[in-house]
Each structure stands twice: as C-alpha cells, then as structure tokens.
Amino acid sequence: AAVPQAAAPRAADLKEDELVVLDADSRQPLPRELGELIAAARAVQGRAYAPYSGFAVGAAVRLGDGRIFTGANVENASYGLAVCAERTAVLAAVLAGGRQVVAVAVCTSLWPPAAPCGMCRQTLAEFAHDAEVVLCSPSGPAQRTRLSVLLPHAFRPADLEQFAEQTAPVGRPKRRP
Ligand code: THU
C-alpha cells in the first residue's frame, strides 16, 4: 500500500538549473542524479518542524531501484524527542519496502554544510553498505563524501549474523540469553 508522504519533486518538475549543482571542491557539476537528490533535500527542508532549535534540516535518500524518499527534522517540547531529517527519510523509505540506500543528500542552512549526526550515520549504515553522501545548503555548491568516511567500522547486521553463527554451531541449539 502506498505510504502517505510528501512527494519528492520529480526531475521533470524541476528547472534545469535546479539540477545542476557544483561540487564544492572541484567546482565541476555533480552527476544529474545527485543534483536531483539535492533538489529533493532542499525542497523538503522547509517542511521541518524545528521551533526550538530553529535549525531546519531536509534529507533525501535514493534507493537502489531509483526511488527517492525525503524527510525533515521534527522536534518536540520534550527536547530529547527530536527526530533528525535523515532518520525520517530512512523510515519513509523502509516503510515503502526499501532496504538498500545508495545515496543521501542533507540540506542545512549552514556553510560549510553540516554532516549527519552519529545516530543518523548508524541508522543509515543499517540500510547502506557504503552510500554516497552529499552535504548542501539551500543554494550553492555541495560537498561530497561517503558513509564509510563518516562512519568507519559501523556496527552492521552482519555482526549479529556472525554472532549467531558463533553461538550456535551446526547441530547444537542456539544458546538463549
Ligand atoms: N538535526 C538533523 O535533523 N540532522 C542532523 O544530522 C543533525 C541535527 C536536527 C535535530 C534537531 O531538530 C536540530 O537539527 C538541532 O539539533
């Protein structure tokens, strides 16, 4: 079933110049696919609910099948309950059946652009072996990096699988905690 979600802007609905984003280091245009993802993150930043910090963040994830899902941060009067943009985008993707994130764009009104917090890096690592990450602001160039750079040695599902193998050798029932 379709999950109600603010639709990510489609490339066809965007103006050509919104899809051309320069790499902050090389000053060369980024691949169009990344330009689209950045445009989606920029478009959703304005939907953030951030009355306490005033720090609005928009995020967009691209799945292996090409679908884009977006998210923005949602804060709470009980401050510690704030949910980051990256995690709302990942949750939207997962609820729509997505399991493989290949690229992430994060838009903040900060320069140099802010990178995802540690908790979001770990959430991304669950669904991305090594996603491309682009950090941007509402306009201007973008910085390109990778999840493996932001979070080396992530704890992964494979670690738990290995643990299960080590604790339950063939022919012996799994040890229970
Ligand atoms: N925030 C994000 O949405 N993503 C990040 O990676 C860093 C922080 C949000 C959480 C909170 O609503 C506000 O930014 C200030 O911390």
Side-chain angles (χ1 to χ4, degrees):
V3 174
Q5 212 229 343
R10 284 176 308 197
D13 301 331
L14 293 166
K15 291 186 224 95
E16 193 56 34
D17 64 344
E18 288 177 306
L19 298 176
V20 179
V21 180
L22 296 186
D23 181 301
D25 296 326
S26 69
R27 296 277 155 182
Q28 295 301 306
L30 293 174
R32 193 186 170 89
E33 277 197 353
L34 285 184
E36 268 178 53
L37 200 61
I38 289 170
R42 284 174 172 165
V44 76
Q45 188 191 3
R47 305 221 183 107
Y49 175 73
Y52 306 106
S53 71
F55 191 72
V57 186
V61 297
R62 182 189 291 279
L63 298 177
D65 62 14
R67 285 184 294 163
I68 290 177
F69 291 88
T70 58
N73 52 331
V74 179
E75 298 186 345
N76 195 281
S78 178
Y79 294 173
L81 300 188
V83 185
C84 296
E86 296 88 331
R87 273 177 291 141
T88 60
V90 169
L91 298 190
V94 170
L95 292 179
R99 295 291 182 272
Q100 192 203 354
V101 171
V102 295
V104 186
V106 182
C107 179
T108 62
S109 298
L110 192 66
W111 188 262
C117 79
M119 194 185 267
C120 290
R121 293 176 196 198
Q122 180 64 32
T123 298
L124 285 163
E126 179 79 15
F127 302 103
H129 182 66
D130 184 18
E132 167 127 51
V133 179
V134 276
L135 310 173
C136 62
S137 53
S139 61
Q143 283 181 340
R144 218 171 159 172
T145 184
R146 302 201 69 88
L147 189 59
S148 59
V149 173
L150 297 176
L151 186 66
H153 312 295
F155 186 70
R156 296 188 174 281
D159 292 312
L160 288 180
E161 284 160 23
Q162 216 184 342
F163 173 73
E165 274 169 31
Q166 287 172 5
T167 51
V170 182
R172 189 145 64 79
K174 264 188 198 174
R175 218 196 305 153
R176 299 207 177 271

